[in-house]
Amino acid sequence: MKTVTAPDAVPLAQWMKDRIALLADLPEDELLALAKSARCVEFAPQETIIHQGMTIDDLHLIFSGKAAVRVRPAPGKTLERAVLGPGEIFGETSILEHGTAYASVRAEEAVTAYLIGQETLLAVVESNPRFKERLQALILARRAQTEKPAPAAA
């Protein structure tokens, strides 16, 4: 991971509103608070961004590139559950539930992402019950995707 810069908050807030469905309905002041706290980072192709089981301190917003979400249901077995691209997020579960990552995330190509710190995200979550509900719904949907059984071998 390479930290690039602290982004200009106003254009980033607008990008977040336009490109990230989960954040689109946030009031301007909350979007701006998230954007002001963000830092821009780059991940090289094949770099692991998050390891399953680790504690996550930041919400990751993918600006460019693609990242694969993989789970290890058993030693030596890895299943790909999703490929995330621009405008998608990850890391929310660990932050909201004060737990560890349910999956690993690896850059499939060069990824540029904005990272929003836990403290800022939780402040917005606590001040906005509707946003909290939407995040919790996303977590439940992702958990169902992560925990679904592996396809049977042919």
Side-chain angles (χ1 to χ4, degrees):
M1 175 178 72
K2 173 181 153 191
T3 300
V4 181
T5 59
D8 186 355
V10 174
L12 178 57
Q14 187 62 50
W15 175 83
M16 290 164 45
K17 182 178 184 64
D18 293 344
R19 295 295 310 264
I20 301 177
L22 183 73
L23 305 178
D25 294 335
L26 285 179
E28 189 174 323
D29 62 322
E30 290 176 348
L31 273 173
L32 200 52
L34 293 175
K36 284 180 179 177
S37 77
R39 66 187 196 281
C40 184
V41 296
E42 293 177 344
F43 299 94
Q46 308 309 308
E47 183 176 354
T48 299
I49 301 169
I50 292 176
H51 291 277
Q52 184 173 337
M54 75 185 279
T55 301
I56 310 302
D57 294 325
D58 300 296
L59 179 69
H60 295 66
L61 316 175
I62 299 177
F63 181 75
S64 64
K66 291 183 181 176
V69 179
R70 295 183 170 94
V71 294
R72 294 191 68 180
K77 185 172 188 175
T78 301
L79 303 171
E80 186 170 296
R81 292 301 192 192
V83 176
L84 304 176
E88 295 186 275
I89 69 168
F90 58 93
E92 71 287 338
T93 302
S94 182
I95 292 173
L96 226 59
E97 296 183 350
H98 306 287
T100 59
Y102 283 92
S104 293
V105 180
R106 186 179 79 179
E108 292 298 292
E109 57 191 51
V111 170
T112 299
Y114 291 104
L115 276 53
I116 295 173
Q118 180 177 17
E119 186 176 310
T120 304
L121 179 66
L122 289 175
V124 172
V125 165
E126 291 308 314
S127 71
N128 190 325
R130 185 166 177 240
F131 178 58
K132 184 176 185 175
E133 289 172 7
R134 292 175 69 202
L135 260 178
Q136 289 171 329
L138 174 64
I139 289 168
L140 289 175
R142 289 200 169 158
R143 184 169 291 134
Q145 177 71 18
T146 303
E147 294 174 353
K148 76 179 182 181

